[in-house]
Amino acid sequence: MLDDTVFIREVALAYKGRAHAISLPIDNADSAAIFLKKLIGGETREHFVAVYTDTRICPIGFQIVSIGSANSSLVHPREVFQPAVHLGACGILVGHNHPSGNSKPSVEDRKITSRLVSAGLLLGIRLIDHVVIGDPDFYSFCSAE
């Protein structure tokens, strides 16, 4: 029994709408990589970021979902999609950096991409792409298909 104790979890998300979109549409792998490099390029630890988009694939928000070590980051679809649902996002672009500079995706990268695609289908929120940021190049799961 918890007596009369009440637990409250506060969550704050700001939605600015189309008029305040962050940038132009992210409609190809190059524009996705440029956007993500501005957010997480050059970091010394893996950063996994989710960019939430409207119907025109314009960013309406983003969140650093996870900060890991030099060679790994723990990611769960729940943490990726929760803000998307709150924002009313129609799509999600995800990406992470490889501090080693090698943009070749790992087995774990392929697994989380598959899980995010499945979760997105269930929720009706499309995974636009998963981009691995290296130095100087990048890997796009969408372009690789």
Side-chain angles (χ1 to χ4, degrees):
M1 192 65 156
L2 296 176
D3 300 320
D4 293 330
T5 306
V6 177
F7 295 94
I8 299 173
R9 181 176 182 192
E10 293 185 28
V11 177
L13 285 172
Y15 175 72
K16 300 295 184 185
R18 175 82 177 112
H20 295 86
I22 295 171
S23 69
L24 297 173
I26 300 176
D27 54 4
N28 60 55
D30 290 329
S31 62
I34 289 168
F35 189 89
L36 291 168
K37 280 184 180 184
K38 289 179 184 176
L39 294 177
I40 57 175
E43 295 288 348
T44 58
R45 296 179 357 190
E46 278 199 15
H47 285 59
F48 191 98
V49 65
V51 180
Y52 306 103
T53 68
D54 62 13
T55 57
R56 296 183 182 189
I57 318 175
C58 289
I60 57 173
F62 68 89
Q63 178 180 28
I64 295 176
V65 176
S66 175
I67 299 175
S69 65
N71 64 352
S72 70
S73 182
L74 181 62
V75 179
H76 193 280
R78 171 181 53 245
E79 282 78 28
V80 173
F81 281 95
Q82 184 180 28
V85 171
H86 287 291
L87 288 170
C90 295
I92 296 179
L93 164 71
V94 297
H96 72 283
N97 63 315
H98 279 179
S100 68
N102 181 355
S103 61
K104 181 181 178 189
S106 67
V107 171
E108 291 80 15
D109 294 342
R110 294 180 189 284
K111 286 180 182 177
I112 191 60
T113 302
S114 177
R115 290 183 71 199
L116 292 173
V117 167
S118 297
L121 289 171
L122 182 67
L123 293 170
I125 302 172
R126 182 173 75 104
L127 180 66
I128 297 163
D129 199 353
H130 179 181
V131 179
V132 181
I133 302 296
D135 186 21
D137 58 354
F138 65 91
Y139 178 89
S140 163
F141 279 86
C142 184
S143 294
E145 293 176 347

